[in-house]
């Protein structure tokens, strides 16, 4: 079993995971698949320093097998803000929605969230979530090679499958499968040991995405956040989405607002997961599918409500 320690871990022949405990806000995982004379990077990290450190640690591999391709599994900054450090010749693959989301939640937007006065509750939450990262002057580089359907890449003679499985966590989630060694990089379709977060959904669609990952029968799975896992980790995310999706739909049918649904929800055993307050965003996203007329909530509103949820539950 791969230890959950910071850094590079070889998880199969010529396949590495870059792990960043504790897997909370911004602490994402990434990966490297090396072929003959070419490599594929799975995701960059939240800022340039973290990405630079990872690329330096990969150098013993990439000196012989340079990175020719990269994939952004989706458009959250902790999976793509480091793209600017890649050589200009590297092809960056990603769903078309990656660029849209990365611009919407750009480094400047997160910088502003940290700098402005939103009251002590949100300021404290934002500082705990995003304070450890450096967003000033991060040039945004987004994918240049759209992933519109399942695609096979040849990476120095190795076959790598890019599988669009969204909308689920976001509108454009792509998983990366290396069939020859049966390794799957799920991006944020999987959070292990922490609370899943649904920006887009609906839950049904994400549950289906989990089913598609299980059907690949992967032996080793690198989640977007948390320790390396197996299909058991996929089933656990499915169970969470079933629980929260069902409770949200029940609350909606009972005439409750999405805020009531989120604040009153019994999370059962999932209440023990770190960042349980993410249920605010997931409930909101599920309600948007139940009630398309629901006004759009902005990120500040959602983060403010997560901060309140956390303080109410944890006292
Ligand atoms: Zn992430």
């Amino acid at each position: 079993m791969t230890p959950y320690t910071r850094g590079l871990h070889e998880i199969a022949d010529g396949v590495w995971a870059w792990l960043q405990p504790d897997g909370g806000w911004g602490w994402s995982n990434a990966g490297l698949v090396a072929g003959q004379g070419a490599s594929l990077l799975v995701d960059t990290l939240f800022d340039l320093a973290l990405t630079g450190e990872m690329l330096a640690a990969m150098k013993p591999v990439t000196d012989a097998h340079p990175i020719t391709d990269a994939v952004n599994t989706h458009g959250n900054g902790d999976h793509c803000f480091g793209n600017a450090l890649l050589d200009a010749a590297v092809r960056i693959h990603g769903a078309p929605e990656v660029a849209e989301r990365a611009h919407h939640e750009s480094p400047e937007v997160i910088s502003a969230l940290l700098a402005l006065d939103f009251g002590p509750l949100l300021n404290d939450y934002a500082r705990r979530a995003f304070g450890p990262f450096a967003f000033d002057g991060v040039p945004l580089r987004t994918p240049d090679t759209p992933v519109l359907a399942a695609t096979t890449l040849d990476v120095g003679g190795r076959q790598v499958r890019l599988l669009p499985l969204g909308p689920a966590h976001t509108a454009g989630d792509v998983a990366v499968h290396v069939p020859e060694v049966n390794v799957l990089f799920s991006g944020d379709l999987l959070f292990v040991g922490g609370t899943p977060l649904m920006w887009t959904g609906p839950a049904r669609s994400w549950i289906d995405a989990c089913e598609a990952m299980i059907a690949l029968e992967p032996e080793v799975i690198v989640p977007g956040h948390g320790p390396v896992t197996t299909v058991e980790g996929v089933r656990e995310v499915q169970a969470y989405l079933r629980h929260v999706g069902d409770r949200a739909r029940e609350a909606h049918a009972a005439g409750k607002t999405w805020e009531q649904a989120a604040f009153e929800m019994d999370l059962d055993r999932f209440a023990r997961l770190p960042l349980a307050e993410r249920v605010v965003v997931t409930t909101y996203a599920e309600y948007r599918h139940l009630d398309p007329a629901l006004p759009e909530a902005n990120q500040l509103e959602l983060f403010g409500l997560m901060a309140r949820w956390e303080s109410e539950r944890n006292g």
Side-chain angles (χ1 to χ4, degrees):
M1 201 62 202
T2 306
Y4 191 38
T5 53
R6 181 180 170 76
L8 201 59
H9 300 267
E10 189 164 16
I11 50 173
D13 186 29
V15 182
W16 289 265
W18 177 263
L19 304 179
Q20 296 196 103
D22 61 357
W25 289 112
W27 297 110
S28 51
N29 299 326
L32 184 70
V33 181
Q36 271 309 317
S39 292
L40 168 83
L41 181 70
V42 182
D43 281 337
T44 58
L45 305 175
F46 214 179
D47 70 18
L48 299 181
L50 290 171
T51 304
E53 184 193 349
M54 173 177 77
L55 293 175
M58 290 173 170
K59 251 178 90 58
V61 180
T62 57
D63 277 349
H65 313 290
I67 296 171
T68 51
D69 294 84
V71 185
N72 292 137
T73 56
H74 61 291
N76 286 145
D78 53 335
H79 301 263
C80 66
F81 280 178
N83 285 358
L85 290 188
L86 299 176
D87 191 276
V90 172
R91 283 174 298 269
I92 304 182
H93 307 259
E97 294 84 1
V98 170
E100 195 185 328
R101 181 165 280 274
H103 282 285
H104 186 68
E105 296 157 21
S106 66
E108 291 78 31
V109 169
I110 304 181
S111 275
L113 183 68
L114 286 169
L116 299 177
D117 182 7
F118 299 110
L121 202 58
L122 177 50
N123 277 11
D124 175 62
Y125 191 87
R127 209 178 47 243
R128 277 186 283 137
F130 302 118
F133 310 98
F135 300 105
D136 287 336
V138 173
L140 211 51
R141 180 175 168 197
T142 53
D144 46 57
T145 311
V147 180
L148 302 170
T151 313
T152 303
L153 292 183
D154 182 305
V155 180
R158 292 186 98 164
Q159 308 292 300
V160 179
R161 298 276 291 155
L162 306 185
L163 306 169
L165 296 177
H169 167 67
T170 65
D173 300 303
V174 172
V176 179
H177 187 220
V178 191
E180 165 215 344
V181 286
N182 225 353
V183 171
L184 180 71
F185 294 91
S186 69
D188 284 1
L189 291 170
L190 295 179
F191 291 79
V192 173
T195 303
L197 173 66
M198 187 170 84
W199 292 111
T200 303
R204 183 68 253 162
S205 164
W206 193 347
I207 290 165
D208 290 348
C210 288
E211 215 48 55
M213 291 192 284
I214 291 168
L216 296 169
E217 299 181 358
E219 271 171 53
V220 180
I221 305 175
V222 181
H225 296 257
V228 169
T229 191
T230 62
V231 288
E232 282 318 300
V234 188
R235 290 194 205 287
E236 192 59 12
V237 169
Q238 258 186 333
Y240 177 85
L241 293 166
R242 280 206 185 93
H243 181 86
V244 173
D246 288 353
R247 298 294 89 72
R249 283 187 300 277
E250 284 162 17
H252 181 262
K256 297 194 173 182
T257 66
W258 74 266
E259 290 95 334
Q260 285 172 324
F263 277 80
E264 293 169 11
M265 193 177 294
D266 178 1
L267 284 173
D268 196 20
R269 67 188 169 93
F270 303 109
R272 290 191 295 274
L273 288 174
L275 305 177
E277 65 275 15
R278 286 173 169 172
V279 72
V280 166
V281 177
T282 299
T283 303
Y284 164 72
E286 189 68 9
Y287 259 66
R288 290 268 285 171
H289 293 278
L290 297 169
D291 179 6
L294 194 69
E296 196 174 342
N298 66 38
Q299 301 297 90
L300 272 184
E301 218 177 305
L302 293 173
F303 271 95
L305 287 168
M306 280 192 278
R308 210 181 87 206
W309 195 102
E310 187 209 32
S311 85
E312 283 182 16
R313 293 281 171 125
N314 301 345

